[in-house]
Amino acid sequence: QGWCADGAFAEDGLGAGNETHRSEGVLVRRAPLVTATPPGRGPRTPSAAGVHPRVPRHNEDLAAAFEEVADLLSLQQANPFRIRAYRRAAQVVRSQAAELGPRLAGGFDPDSLPGIGDDLAGQIREFHCQGELPVLRALRREVPAGLRELLSLPGLGPRRVQALHRALGLRDREGLRKALEGGRVARIPGFGAGLERRLREALADAAA
């Protein structure tokens, strides 16, 4: 059935095992970790080549998924080593001259990549078989959608989104818009007039 049929995939890597994550910053909705085979369902059926056929899987897609995992873990103030490992994994994947999918199909072992251990290697295989990372799917369920949307605005990384949430209780773009109108964002350390202007413009463009 091909290399995707062996089922040897990690649920959530970086040597964390079954670590229970504690969120000390942003309020999150807890949800069970989503596994490759959700409860009540049978195993996914691989295609003839052993690869789930629906989603194209490129290095850039995988790198972006690892970066999003790191961003969402940062919002939850997770273990910094875990966050850095995901960011490093994104850099390593992006640095590969050839697509990983065909190499995996040819027998390439991703744990031979620099900084990629067994758990992350399992996630790489999972991504190329299923088209997604279960850990990312779980994090998207835990972190409120409004906070995730704030990360897409110019100049707003996890630290600044945390600062907005702590200082003003912001949870979405509408709250940010009102805070900008009230002049409250500029009072937060690290939020200058230039960033405030960019945020106003980005929100106006999104509403147009």
Side-chain angles (χ1 to χ4, degrees):
Q1 292 295 320
W3 59 275
C4 277
D6 62 10
F9 302 129
E11 292 181 356
D12 182 10
L14 310 184
N18 293 322
E19 171 189 2
T20 299
H21 178 67
R22 293 179 175 85
S23 172
E24 301 171 357
V26 172
L27 177 67
V28 298
R29 296 190 299 271
R30 299 304 302 169
L33 181 66
V34 180
T35 62
T37 303
R41 298 184 187 178
R44 296 176 186 261
T45 302
S47 67
V51 179
H52 197 287
R54 292 183 301 173
V55 183
R57 288 159 283 272
H58 302 293
N59 290 354
E60 180 56 36
D61 299 322
L62 175 57
F66 278 147
E67 285 183 340
E68 187 178 351
V69 169
D71 283 345
L72 297 183
L73 289 174
S74 295
L75 280 180
Q76 293 183 330
Q77 295 187 338
N79 186 316
F81 293 101
R82 188 179 181 210
I83 295 167
R84 284 197 292 272
Y86 273 106
R87 295 207 188 281
R88 171 61 177 161
Q91 293 172 352
V92 168
V93 169
R94 222 174 239 127
S95 71
Q96 300 304 299
E99 292 287 348
L100 286 172
R103 294 168 67 188
L104 290 169
F108 175 73
D109 191 344
D111 67 7
S112 65
L113 295 170
I116 303 296
D118 289 343
D119 292 328
L120 275 173
Q123 292 191 58
I124 290 172
R125 294 189 187 96
E126 182 88 64
F127 179 83
H128 282 281
C129 291
Q130 307 292 350
E132 62 182 349
L133 294 176
V135 63
L136 178 54
R137 185 168 20 134
L139 284 167
R140 285 172 175 171
R141 294 174 63 180
E142 293 174 11
V143 178
L147 289 176
R148 289 189 278 113
E149 289 176 356
L150 290 178
L151 287 171
S152 67
L153 294 174
L156 289 190
R159 289 184 181 179
R160 281 180 169 157
V161 171
Q162 282 180 352
L164 288 169
H165 182 75
R166 285 195 302 266
L168 304 176
L170 299 189
R171 299 177 63 88
D172 53 32
R173 291 188 178 193
E174 180 60 19
L176 176 60
R177 184 186 64 78
K178 292 178 179 178
L180 287 167
E181 290 176 352
R184 291 180 289 153
V185 172
R187 301 172 195 163
I188 304 175
F191 288 78
L195 176 57
E196 191 175 46
R197 184 180 63 256
R198 281 190 290 158
L199 290 174
R200 289 178 185 274
E201 292 172 350
L203 291 175
D205 290 343

